[in-house]
Amino acid sequence: MIRRRLYVEERMSRLAVWSLRTAVFALPVSFIGLALYATETLDFRSALYTVLAGVGISAFSLLLALAAFVVIWNEGLRGLGRVIGAAALALLLVMPTATVAALSIGLPVLYDVTTDTEDPPAFVTLGAVRSRDANSLAYAGESAAAEQRDAYPGIKPIEFDVPPDEIYKAVLSLVTRHKWLIVDAVPPRGGQREGRIEAVARGLPFALRDDVVIRVRRTADGTRVDMRSVSRNSDRDFGSNARRIDQLVTELSEMQGRQRR
């Protein structure tokens, strides 16, 4: 019986065993980094390095799994199930990271996107409570505006021929529907005060925090809405800020029964 057990153990691929162990170890490393960032226990960069460490371990486990598969195929060893399991677990981390990297190709290095590049909506409350390590809320000026126009030509303000109060309520309902964390909400007051909504949204990848401000301003013919979305920590937004603005403006247009131009 002892000889038989030794024989079975010798026929198991050690590479297969270690590929699975490595893949299993990588998952909690990355998820711990994400969890600590979500609970604000770790700052963004520390959390990012933790997540990337897990991704790196996953990539290594995938290489071990490929090597184990070759050995099993050539020598007839056991462990194919472990190889498949290791590859599946590794791809859970490697594929999303690779996808994000691929999608970011060609996108500008922007973290601040706005419908009004000449007079961007200003953060008031969020500007006072954000961490010192966060990205600056001071708009970068013409250099950022030029990059944004080239990358996202459709990001523009939208105007309606209805009073600001009505538009403000519609915008507030959309922000609530998206479950953004509303930090401040100041309704418009005739032509004396602009409406302003400040909120925190979660964006891709890794549920990064983005700060949002929406301005509702009276015009001669009705109301103009401008929006600004700024990534809090990352130096690039992977297109999430532009997508968020485009989505909200589209939904607001549909809610008011008009087509976007």
Side-chain angles (χ1 to χ4, degrees):
M1 181 66 68
I2 294 177
R3 290 181 178 176
R4 185 177 181 183
R5 287 181 181 174
L6 288 173
Y7 175 74
V8 171
E9 290 178 359
E10 289 174 355
R11 299 296 296 171
M12 173 65 68
S13 169
R14 288 188 175 274
L15 280 175
V17 172
W18 280 104
S19 65
L20 182 58
R21 289 177 179 175
T22 307
V24 169
F25 176 73
L27 287 176
V29 171
S30 290
F31 287 133
I32 286 173
L34 291 173
L36 291 179
Y37 175 72
T39 57
E40 300 186 357
T41 305
L42 278 182
D43 62 272
F44 170 72
R45 292 193 180 278
S46 299
L48 177 63
Y49 293 150
T50 303
V51 171
L52 291 179
V55 174
I57 295 171
S58 290
F60 179 65
S61 71
L62 187 59
L63 292 176
L64 289 178
L66 291 174
F69 178 79
V70 173
V71 172
I72 290 172
W73 181 268
N74 290 332
E75 301 183 15
L77 302 180
R78 296 174 61 240
L80 183 60
R82 286 177 169 82
V83 168
I84 295 173
L89 290 175
L91 290 173
L92 283 177
L93 292 180
V94 173
M95 287 302 295
T97 306
T99 301
V100 169
L103 291 176
S104 66
I105 296 175
L107 293 178
V109 183
L110 280 178
Y111 64 82
D112 189 345
V113 178
T114 177
T115 58
D116 189 344
T117 57
E118 295 182 0
D119 181 22
F123 290 92
V124 178
T125 304
L126 278 170
V129 301
R130 293 164 93 241
S131 167
R132 293 180 180 179
D133 297 329
N135 290 327
S136 173
L137 291 177
Y139 190 65
E142 181 56 30
S143 60
E147 283 193 274
Q148 179 183 308
R149 285 193 295 268
D150 290 340
Y152 313 117
I155 300 299
K156 299 177 180 178
I158 188 167
E159 296 188 5
F160 302 92
D161 56 357
V162 295
D165 289 342
E166 180 180 335
I167 297 300
Y168 174 83
K169 292 177 182 177
V171 172
L172 190 60
S173 69
L174 287 174
V175 171
T176 303
R177 182 190 303 175
H178 284 288
K179 297 182 179 180
W180 299 345
L181 176 63
I182 298 175
V183 177
D184 196 7
V186 179
R189 183 188 296 166
Q192 301 177 353
R193 183 176 71 186
E194 300 172 345
R196 188 186 75 255
I197 300 172
E198 295 184 54
V200 180
R202 294 281 187 168
L204 295 174
F206 312 128
L208 300 177
R209 294 181 189 86
D210 297 332
D211 295 316
V212 175
V213 58
I214 304 169
R215 182 177 64 202
V216 180
R217 173 180 286 176
R218 176 180 289 277
T219 64
D221 300 322
T223 305
R224 168 172 163 159
V225 178
D226 282 290
M227 181 174 172
R228 185 180 176 193
S229 187
V230 182
S231 300
R232 183 172 294 187
N233 298 109
S234 177
D235 61 353
R236 65 171 65 213
D237 63 7
F238 302 96
S240 64
N241 287 315
R243 285 193 298 270
R244 179 178 298 111
I245 293 174
D246 183 72
Q247 181 179 12
L248 188 101
V249 171
T250 298
E251 291 174 349
L252 183 59
S253 300
E254 293 174 351
M255 183 180 289
Q256 296 301 312
R258 56 159 290 182
Q259 296 292 324
R260 287 186 63 186
R261 286 184 274 175

